[in-house]
Amino acid sequence: MDKLTEEDKRRVLEIAAAQNRISFIVAFVVCFFYFSFIVAVGAAPDLVGKHVLADGTTVGIIWGLGLILGSIIISYFFIKINSKYTDEIEHIVITAVDRKPKKGGR
Amino acid sequence: MEDVEGISGGWSLVIFFIFVSITLFITWWAARYSKDKKGFYTAGGGITPLQNGLAIAGDFMSAASFLGIVALVFSSGFDGLLYSVGFLVGWPIVLVLIAGKLRNLGRFSFADVTSYRLDQKRVRLLSAISGLCVVTFYLIAQMVGAGQLINLMFGLHYSVALVIVGVLMIIYVAFGGMTATTWVQIVKAVLLLFGATVMAFLVLFSFNFDIAKYYNAATSVHPKGEAILRPGGLVSDTVDSVSLGLALMFGTCGLPHILLRFFTVKDERAANNSVVYATGFIGYFYMLTFILGFGAIAFLYLDNTGAYLRDGMVIGGKNVVALHLAHYLGGDLMLGFISAVAFATILAVVAGLSISGANNIAHDIYNSVIKGGKADPATELKISKISTFSIGIFAILLGIAFEKQNVAYMVGLAFAIAASVNFPILLYSIYWRGLTTNGAFYGGWAGLLTVVLLMILSPSIWVETLGFDKAIFPYKNPALFSMSVSFVLIYLVSKFDKSARAEVDKSGFDEQYYRAVTGSGASKSLDH
């Protein structure tokens, strides 16, 4: 860590903050849709049980299966975005490690 | 439990023996990689993300969730989906908040992370005890379920079934360590996903993949008719269901045997990728259970051979609906295969629990708390193996002791503890500079005691087990209250903590945070 300059450290913290922001937004979105589903099942069963497709599929079935599929999809896109940030952090760290210490003048 | 004639027949024994032979061969092969601490606890960190994703799925998809959710869909239709969704939605949270940073900060257990900058002895001891509570309650549910299920499937006596499960678990973990446990879980996950896929394909194929025909067939024969497509009675109290939802979602983030799996891959990126694979496999599996449940309704109610239902009741109990469906779809061979897979499922889950418990005892309690982190690695490894033997024997005894008890609440209790103790401490320790040892210690203990107390006072134990008329705590799921207690207390105690230790705890945050975001690979480079 000593090899990181103050500028490197500031940049790493900025990237980490952006990573955390995305993490908490995704967590909030998943919680919102899941707990809305649970509350709707308890408080508005008629709405959840309403048929929306001709084959008999209800709002609740679409919502539930949508949550499962949505969780898989959001996880996939999260790591795609997250790994770009991880690449940037790795780049800063590796550059700092490879940076040759300046020796006295030639 | 009385001896019954097993429903699964000879094929299941043949397939089960093949499975056991393969897994014992794997254990023999894996033994060479389990001769040191790193190999034993984490398979040397050499598991690939795909392998780890499969192993996580194998660790998480229990026989209870396979047979139980199919049975729940069979009896209540839509309500079964609530459990499927609940068990899955925790995984994106594990991914975005926990997995990568846990991998960067820990080496052998999640307590490495909770105690990273805090007082090792107090916080690690709390995490280890909480981890052992989760493992014990989970193990009781698995063992009792295993004894009953194997008795039904193969006709083996309940205690004999427990001994077989316990002995195989000891062999896998004590001799093969994490490498054997991982591969047992991978083999089981592949078999379970394959079996469930074939069954779901056959169900949908029978209806020419016409969803309308499929729903119609189920609703026209089920006693509840069209109501099975709508919410039933499972979620009648919103507070209780939100509380259950919290336990399932955030409990997944704090299950020690699942968190342990993130140390088996090489870095943060691999840990994250393995969660995405696991989420895909687990989500796919839970969607299949919904298809199978409706398929079971359509086929088993219509069958008039008397092989599956008698007077409208499922022969062998509702938990074997999936096995009856397998028999209906593919005869004795399919029944044998699915029964053997269910048995394999139990073994994979208990092996994961066992290695996690051994890790808590040897690494957290013996090495870090008793020996101050300076234990001789060979002695620690020996203690891990002794712990594995002890946990195996303890599991058999617990299974026998709880044979006649209703243990349905045990998995919920395990999830509630994980959500109320492990998850809050992990989250605060990773993301909040202000967390102190006192905050984690008192808040964590308060959360643990609240869960256990509320559970005892709830209808599940106070009325159904102890026989009182009315429960003192009206809800079956305590997580909403116990999580609030631990989150608030950890925050308040930390905030008002003026001790010298609190300053040390807070000042360690920057170094920990850099390591959490830059990773172990980076930290190694930086150490040069």
Side-chain angles (χ1 to χ4, degrees), chain B residues 60-131:
Chain B
F60 194 71
M61 300 181 304
S62 63
S65 61
F66 173 48
L67 302 177
I69 290 177
V70 174
L72 193 55
V73 175
F74 178 80
S75 58
S76 308
F78 173 83
D79 284 356
L81 187 61
L82 296 175
Y83 270 90
S84 298
V85 174
F87 279 119
L88 196 270
V89 288
W91 285 100
I93 310 294
V94 173
L95 171 68
V96 301
L97 297 181
I98 305 289
K101 292 188 169 63
L102 186 89
R103 179 64 192 90
N104 281 345
L105 291 173
R107 286 188 71 200
F108 299 119
S109 78
F110 80 95
D112 290 346
V113 181
T114 55
S115 61
Y116 191 94
R117 63 189 159 104
L118 307 182
D119 175 24
Q120 284 284 322
K121 289 199 174 176
R122 283 200 291 163
V123 178
R124 198 180 275 273
L125 186 64
L126 168 66
S127 292
I129 289 174
S130 157

Side-chain angles (χ1 to χ4, degrees), chain A residues 1-4 8-10 12-13 16-17 19-20 22-24 26-28 30-31 34-35 37-46 48-51 54-65 67-69 71-72 74-76 78-79 82-84 86-87 89-90 93-94 96-97, chain B residues 78-79 81-82 84-89 91-93 95-97 101 210-213 215-216 226 229-231 235-236 238 241-242 244-246 248-250 267-269 272-273 275-276 279-284 286-287 290 294 427 431 510-511 513-515 517-518 522-523 525-528:
Chain A
M1 202 155 71
D2 296 339
K3 293 180 181 176
L4 291 180
D8 290 337
K9 286 179 185 173
R10 190 190 57 77
V12 166
L13 284 178
Q19 264 182 322
N20 288 347
I22 291 174
S23 297
F24 280 99
V26 172
F28 176 79
V30 175
C31 288
Y34 174 56
F35 287 106
F37 176 62
I38 298 260
V39 170
V41 167
D46 292 338
V48 177
K50 199 172 171 187
H51 293 278
D55 60 18
T57 302
T58 59
V59 172
I61 293 175
I62 291 180
W63 201 338
L65 294 179
L67 272 167
I68 294 178
L69 272 176
S71 296
I72 298 169
I74 207 167
S75 301
Y76 175 77
F78 172 80
I79 55 158
N82 192 61
S83 59
K84 284 188 181 153
T86 309
D87 286 344
I89 291 176
E90 275 179 8
V93 172
I94 290 167
V97 171
Chain B
F78 173 83
D79 284 356
L81 187 61
L82 296 175
S84 298
V85 174
F87 279 119
L88 196 270
V89 288
W91 285 100
I93 310 294
L95 171 68
V96 301
L97 297 181
K101 292 188 169 63
D210 181 339
I211 299 294
K213 268 169 76 179
Y215 283 145
N216 279 337
E226 281 252 330
L229 297 175
R230 297 192 291 269
V235 176
S236 52
T238 307
S241 47
V242 168
L244 173 65
L246 283 168
L248 293 179
M249 182 179 242
F250 297 112
D267 58 19
E268 172 197 0
R269 213 182 285 263
N272 284 339
N273 286 339
V275 183
V276 178
T279 310
F281 292 130
I282 296 167
Y284 170 69
Y286 282 129
M287 287 197 277
F290 193 63
F294 271 86
L427 195 71
Y431 293 99
D510 284 340
E511 191 272 329
Y513 191 68
Y514 266 107
R515 190 181 165 103
V517 297
T518 56
S523 65
S525 315
L526 293 168
D527 288 338
H528 284 173

Side-chain angles (χ1 to χ4, degrees), chain B residues 25 43 67 97-98 149 176 201 410 425 480:
Chain B
F25 174 76
L67 302 177
L97 297 181
I98 305 289
L149 186 66
F201 177 82
M410 291 274 185
I425 300 178
L480 175 61

